[in-house]
């Protein structure tokens, strides 16, 4: 045993130990980057609902006093968005927009400000084809906001689409920069974006809250994390 120990190259041994510690530190660094990266699980549902009225709160709904009525020549749509933020960081979103694919014009969307609801007001709003067929809305304060860390957020996006529209695109960006430019963006083009296309069915005989939408596809631009 003494002979074996005496023949050990201690300098080489220390080098191997140092290398192992370096590799271990590198693995920890990669793991830290992985768990702290900005990443969202986004679902923009294929199906949407048709509505005619929006109620700002319980009182308006119970008294059947619509706060907003979809005007003639337009279709009221509720688009459903679900976002999971599994990261330990808040992630901002912005430039939430609805674009008419035929005219490349913005489509009106209903947020709390349109219904004279103060920001961060926890009250639920409602929308429906008539009072007996309504859904509860998680309206946004504006077309920008925050996905809180380790959270789930559901959004009911209300769009007022011209009856002449055949297809629309819903999209938003998040505060994660990318090298590649978003070809569909005119402003703030180097940010990760999510989008979803919908065909519009203006000839439906819908008489209540029902699913009419058929989507074309969902896109996650600049998808690499």
């Amino acid at each position: 045993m003494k002979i074996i120990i005496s023949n050990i190259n201690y300098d080489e041994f220390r080098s191997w130990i140092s290398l192992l510690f370096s590799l271990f530190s590198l693995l920890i660094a990669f793991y830290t980057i992985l768990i702290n990266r900005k990443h969202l699980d986004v679902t923009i549902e294929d199906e949407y609902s048709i509505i005619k009225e929006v109620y700002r709160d319980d009182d308006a709904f119970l008294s059947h006093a619509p706060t907003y009525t979809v005007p003639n020549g337009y279709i009221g749509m509720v688009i459903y968005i679900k976002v999971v933020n599994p990261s330990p960081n808040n992630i901002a979103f912005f430039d939430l927009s609805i674009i008419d694919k035929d005219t490349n014009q913005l489509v009106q969307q209903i947020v709390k400000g349109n219904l004279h609801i103060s920001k961060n007001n926890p009250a639920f709003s409602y929308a429906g084809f008539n009072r007996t067929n309504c859904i509860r809305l998680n309206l946004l304060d504006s077309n920008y906001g925050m996905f809180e860390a380790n959270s789930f957020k559901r959004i009911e996006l209300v769009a007022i689409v011209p009856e002449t529209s055949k297809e629309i695109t819903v999209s938003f960006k998040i505060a994660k920069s990318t090298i590649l430019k978003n070809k569909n963006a005119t402003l703030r083009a180097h940010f990760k974006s999510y989008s979803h296309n919908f065909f519009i069915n203006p000839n439906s005989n819908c008489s209540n809250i029902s699913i009419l939408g058929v989507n074309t596809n969902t896109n996650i631009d600049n998808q690499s994390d």
Side-chain angles (χ1 to χ4, degrees):
M1 179 62 70
K2 291 182 179 180
I3 295 175
I4 295 175
I5 294 176
S6 64
N7 289 331
I8 292 177
N9 187 329
Y10 285 102
D11 290 335
E12 184 178 348
F13 178 75
R14 285 195 296 267
S15 297
W16 278 105
I17 292 297
S18 177
L19 179 60
L20 288 174
F21 274 112
S22 297
L23 289 175
F24 184 68
S25 299
L26 185 61
L27 289 173
I28 292 177
F30 276 124
Y31 177 73
T32 302
I33 292 172
L34 182 65
I35 64 174
N36 287 303
R37 65 175 180 161
K38 292 182 178 181
H39 172 69
L40 296 177
D41 183 347
V42 176
T43 301
I44 304 177
E45 294 186 359
D46 296 343
E47 301 167 335
Y48 59 81
S49 298
I50 296 296
I51 62 164
K52 282 189 175 181
E53 302 170 340
V54 180
Y55 304 86
R56 60 170 293 173
D57 52 25
D58 290 335
D59 291 338
F61 174 69
L62 293 174
S63 60
H64 193 206
T67 311
Y68 179 87
T69 301
V70 178
N72 292 331
Y74 289 83
I75 301 170
M77 296 172 54
V78 178
I79 297 165
Y80 304 96
I81 303 174
K82 299 174 182 177
V83 181
V84 178
N85 179 7
S87 74
N89 305 301
N90 295 342
I91 301 178
F93 70 91
F94 53 94
D95 291 349
L96 175 60
S97 61
I98 308 168
I99 302 292
D100 187 323
K101 296 274 285 186
D102 297 323
T103 63
N104 204 34
Q105 297 296 311
L106 283 172
V107 171
Q108 180 187 358
Q109 54 182 292
I110 301 296
V111 295
K112 287 184 177 181
N114 299 117
L115 304 180
H116 306 290
I117 302 172
S118 60
K119 288 187 176 182
N120 301 317
N121 187 327
F124 285 104
S125 300
Y126 300 85
F129 198 88
N130 53 52
R131 190 173 179 274
T132 59
N133 293 276
C134 278
I135 53 176
R136 194 169 69 172
L137 300 176
N138 292 290
L139 290 177
L140 293 172
D141 292 329
S142 185
N143 70 334
Y144 61 90
M146 188 76 68
F147 297 123
E148 301 291 338
N150 300 308
S151 69
F152 170 82
K153 188 178 184 70
R154 179 183 171 95
I155 300 168
E156 278 82 47
L157 182 63
V158 180
I160 309 302
V161 184
E163 288 183 347
T164 54
S165 298
K166 297 179 181 178
E167 187 178 0
I168 61 172
T169 298
V170 176
S171 66
F172 64 90
K173 306 184 186 84
I174 65 171
K176 180 178 181 179
S177 59
T178 59
I179 297 176
L180 298 177
K181 182 178 180 180
N182 181 352
K183 62 182 180 180
N184 297 318
T186 55
L187 296 173
R188 295 176 285 276
H190 289 278
F191 289 93
K192 184 173 181 178
S193 66
Y194 298 84
S195 64
H196 194 95
N197 295 341
F198 293 91
F199 286 124
I200 308 302
N201 183 356
N203 300 315
S204 170
N205 295 319
C206 173
S207 61
N208 55 17
I209 289 291
S210 65
I211 294 166
L212 301 175
V214 180
N215 80 304
T216 54
N217 59 358
T218 301
N219 298 317
I220 301 178
D221 301 317
N222 305 316
Q223 187 171 4
S224 59
D225 291 322

